[in-house]
Amino acid sequence: MWRWLTNNHQTLTGIGAMLVGVAALFVAWDQGRVMRAQQHADVWPAVQVETQMSTEDGQHIFLVGMTNDGIGPALVDRIDASFAGQSLRNWEEMGTVRPDGLPRPDMWTGGSQGAILAPGETVVLAQITWPASEERWPLIRDYQQDFFALTVEACYCSVYGRCWTARRDGRTNHPEPIDACPAVDPDSNL
């Protein structure tokens, strides 16, 4: 055996070089995988859907908004919402479902399907206001129950095509990964 080893040193050198090459190939592959994961993490959006109610400056104000708390842009593909047990086609419908005796509110709405949210950006989807008065408080409290039971689901993607849904349903507001966003409902203007 010793004689074979001394006479075939070139073969041994070649086998050693192949083993070093295979190890280098594995290290390069693994490093590429780590770098891709780091690239995706560097642009991870994290959208939160929020609701707020306040009374200030003589107004009862109800807000629905969306914030990108992540570190990359969020491409908002689709928004679905239901209020008082009814699917919404537009935010204005939230002003038509109200307790008897509560007048039509002042509203400001903005659709965000197709929008790009920069990191740290907040958009107001709907703002509903009534003049504050003691007589309206019982009706406002009734409306408030429906408002805080509002369900909003926003589907958004990163610049690399990874997608999530942010769901606000009174219980959770944590983004969940999904394969792709569903197609936009052509009748929806949310």
Side-chain angles (χ1 to χ4, degrees), residues 52-156:
Q52 299 177 37
M53 187 271 178
S54 65
T55 301
E56 54 190 64
D57 298 327
Q59 299 282 315
H60 297 295
I61 303 168
F62 293 85
L63 287 172
V64 181
M66 212 168 30
T67 300
N68 181 0
D69 290 327
I71 56 175
L75 313 170
V76 180
D77 284 342
R78 180 177 174 141
I79 298 175
D80 293 307
S82 63
F83 180 75
Q86 300 175 15
S87 291
L88 299 177
R89 291 184 315 270
N90 57 61
W91 295 111
E92 289 84 4
E93 291 177 349
M94 288 178 57
T96 62
V97 179
R98 58 189 185 277
D100 289 335
L102 191 60
R104 184 163 182 82
D106 292 328
M107 292 196 68
W108 180 91
T109 63
S112 287
Q113 291 184 143
I116 299 173
L117 287 179
E121 183 178 6
T122 297
V123 295
V124 174
L125 301 172
Q127 178 176 316
I128 304 155
T129 60
W130 282 280
S133 71
E134 288 298 317
E135 306 84 53
R136 282 201 184 111
W137 260 115
L139 299 172
I140 292 295
R141 275 193 296 271
D142 290 345
Y143 184 82
Q144 185 177 0
Q145 287 180 342
D146 286 335
F147 181 76
F148 285 119
L150 170 72
T151 299
V152 180
E153 185 172 284
C155 187
Y156 63 97

Side-chain angles (χ1 to χ4, degrees), residues 21-45:
V22 167
L25 181 64
F26 173 76
V27 168
W29 170 82
D30 187 55
Q31 199 61 22
R33 185 182 58 81
V34 168
M35 285 175 51
R36 275 190 301 280
Q38 182 65 41
Q39 284 176 328
H40 287 273
D42 284 344
V43 294
W44 180 58

